[in-house]
Amino acid sequence: MKRIHILGISGSLRPDSTNTIILKTLGSLLPSDSTFEIFEGLDEIHHFSPGLDDTSPVTRLKTAISQAHGVVICTPEYAFGVPGTLKNALDWTVGTGNLNDKPVAVISASPLNSGGNNALASLLLTLTALGTRKNEASALSIANVKGKITDGVVTDAHTLGELRAQCANLLALIGG
Ligand SMILES: Cc1cc2nc3c(=O)[nH]c(=O)nc-3n(C[C@H](O)[C@H](O)[C@H](O)COP(=O)(O)O)c2cc1C
């Protein structure tokens, strides 16, 4: 069987993003015979408007999604919603259906007690519109994230367990 390949997409552009750290930690928890990459260049994707041709960064994103067996999105919440950069990137995939039937895991981490629940709910709606393959276990909200990370990796045991569960659920969705 072909090696399972997972694509990670971070909704944060910050170099020391907590959401990107969570993605990297999740990647390290995947089975050793799988491969994991984080998409680079979300900020190079220009504003979506119907009818515009794909530019190279858009094509790179679509190809990366299409070549992955599953996609993990981990995003902060901005003003109770999904960061515009991430929503813009997802809008580019509507017409070409790159995420249609694609198994996904969706995570939102926040330094607040709310854990980015608004962004998570909004992103799940978008991913439903895009036809992704997911179930009730596909979403994870991580509250008070800063206390769960030490020296650039997730060290909180409970959160590591939740990330392992996300990996297992995603692999099950891929298998099914
Ligand atoms: C403009 C702005 C708006 C924000 N709005 C929210 C919000 O609505 N809810 C929330 O939980 N955190 C909010 N935050 C805090 C972010 O969750 C926090 O900066 C987080 O660390 C960003 O994720 P990152 O570390 O992956 O970059 C906001 C931050 C900024 C800069």
Side-chain angles (χ1 to χ4, degrees):
M1 188 186 155
K2 215 175 159 209
R3 194 177 261 253
I4 296 289
H5 178 64
I6 305 293
L7 176 71
I9 300 175
S10 176
S12 174
L13 303 176
R14 293 195 318 116
D16 57 348
S17 156
T18 53
N19 282 276
T20 305
I21 288 170
I22 287 165
L23 264 186
K24 287 179 180 164
T25 304
L26 181 145
S28 73
L29 300 173
L30 286 164
S32 57
D33 59 353
S34 62
T35 54
F36 179 72
E37 68 164 319
I38 295 180
F39 183 78
E40 303 280 351
L42 216 60
D43 52 342
E44 293 165 14
I45 293 176
H46 62 281
H47 294 158
F48 174 74
S49 181
L52 283 184
D53 289 336
D54 292 359
T55 54
S56 156
V58 175
T59 305
R60 270 203 311 113
L61 174 70
K62 290 184 175 184
T63 303
I65 291 171
S66 297
Q67 289 179 345
H69 294 92
V71 175
V72 184
I73 300 176
C74 190
T75 185
E77 175 175 298
Y78 288 162
F80 288 3
V82 176
T85 315
L86 174 60
K87 180 64 166 60
N88 180 58
L90 294 175
D91 286 347
W92 275 101
T93 71
V94 173
T96 38
N98 309 81
L99 279 158
N100 193 42
D101 203 33
K102 187 71 67 180
V104 290
V106 194
I107 304 170
S108 182
S110 166
L112 308 183
N113 284 331
S114 55
N117 284 341
N118 296 301
L120 198 58
S122 175
L123 184 55
L124 285 167
L125 267 182
T126 299
L127 293 175
T128 298
L130 293 172
T132 60
R133 196 188 305 172
K134 55 186 170 56
N135 59 22
E136 286 189 357
S138 301
L140 172 63
S141 175
I142 300 176
N144 306 310
V145 67
K146 289 197 173 149
K148 295 170 176 171
I149 290 172
T150 314
D151 295 333
V153 283
V154 177
T155 44
D156 176 65
H158 179 73
T159 307
L160 286 168
E162 290 177 320
L163 294 178
R164 277 194 196 92
Q166 282 301 317
C167 292
N169 190 61
L170 181 62
L171 293 172
L173 286 170
I174 292 168

